[in-house]
Amino acid sequence: MGNLVAIVGRPNVGKSTLFNRLTKTRQAIVNEEAGTTRDRQYGKTEWLGREFSVVDTGGWVVNSDDIFEEEIRKQVLMAVDEADVILFVVDVMNGVTDLDEQVAAILRRAKKPVLLVANKTDNHELQYNAPEFYSLGLGDPYCISAVTGSGTGDMMDLIVSKFKKESDEILDEDIPRFAVVGRPNAGKSSIVNAFIGEDRNIVTEIAGTNKFGFDFYLVDTAGIRKKNKVNEDLEYYSVIRSIRSIENADVCILMVDATRGIESQDLNIFSLIQKNAKGLVVVVNKWDLVKDKTVKVMKTFEDAIRNRFAPFVDFPIIFASALTKQRILKVLEEARDVYENRMTRIPTARLNEEMLPLIEAYPPPSIKGKYIKIKYITQLPNTQVPSFVYFANLPQYVKEPYRRFLENKMREKWKLTGTPINIYIRQK
């Protein structure tokens, strides 16, 4: 199970600088393409061999400089609900403010590890201001400087020490794990109920089920079913809610509300799925409520979704109704197919005989009179998603558009629908 660390605190204490410092090492590697606005609020990092996710709760509020106490309160409650460890950031230059005290009051009641982080301790003298934070009743303040990085190593040691020991959950590795995700009220609970039957009140993290003729796990159904204490209408709440489910799944079933179309929130969740390189099935739910169900309307809807999610467009879209159970089985079958596509192994000989003639006919554009030759292709073993290496004489000159061309051609030739794929160009 992945661990989640949430950064909370009032505006301008340096939360996003701290977030950038914690995640920057990985940020460049973790797929830059999905250029959604919210990418800077969620990232992964690794310390002492433990990988964990970091969320900057402040980053989700649009006009974060004048957040009212209510907004901050909701953010903190949300962090308390979802995170394993909470970093409460305060500012050594400013000392304790009223807002800090309000945040501390919520955190003192939380049954979660909280680290009080005294940021902007950019020089030695400033450490002497830190003791006033003892008044917040959250133990020792840890002096760091997010800008220079001083003190952050010790802080990371501490964060990792607070994680619970990895529980040995016995799960059959060969059974696909599906997560149902989407904005509030897109119909997540209804579809989960349709999958497992109304009467099974699920308490566990995962439900295995077989009435559809094959086994699968549903990840985090408990979280979907209990309406949360924090107001569900919080736009960013559904994103933070989704992080764990997405990280623990193989394939994500993204619910979109047919009566509302694609909204920024759907894009944020899609971006999380992309970032974690998970399989994707999009379900346009509440199709029973749409008056005009012509093929033309469906086509328009499909095009709109693919346009918003581009450049990744090769995924199934199903028009369904969780309420009337229309096409519910189809959703599961597509999810299973996507899972199988993620496991695709293409023999090296086939890759080369299919792709090399194509590359010869449409080589990468030459740069400064240098011709780029791709000689050999192979699939990497044991990767999370199908990953391919193209060996070239001048890999640094192969640009993104050509890589996309290769990917599209591969998708035409092999069944890779719904799964991201990686294409690496390496020196031969």
Side-chain angles (χ1 to χ4, degrees), residues 163-220:
F163 292 152
K164 291 194 178 67
K165 288 281 166 280
E166 299 282 316
S167 64
D168 301 326
E169 208 175 346
I170 309 298
L171 287 180
D172 188 331
E173 282 305 304
D174 301 330
I175 295 182
R177 309 175 61 150
F178 302 154
V180 177
V181 294
R183 278 185 337 222
N185 305 325
K188 298 189 294 286
S189 329
S190 327
I191 201 166
V192 166
N193 285 331
F195 288 158
I196 47 198
E198 298 291 339
D199 45 352
R200 302 236 333 240
N201 192 10
I202 297 205
V203 199
T204 58
E205 167 87 59
I206 288 182
T209 174
N210 188 333
K211 63 177 190 199
F212 297 97
F214 61 95
D215 287 324
F216 56 91
Y217 289 121
L218 276 180
V219 177
D220 188 31

Side-chain angles (χ1 to χ4, degrees), residues 131-144:
E132 71 168 295
F133 293 112
Y134 277 107
S135 70
L136 295 172
L138 289 165
D140 300 332
Y142 290 88
C143 291
I144 69 154

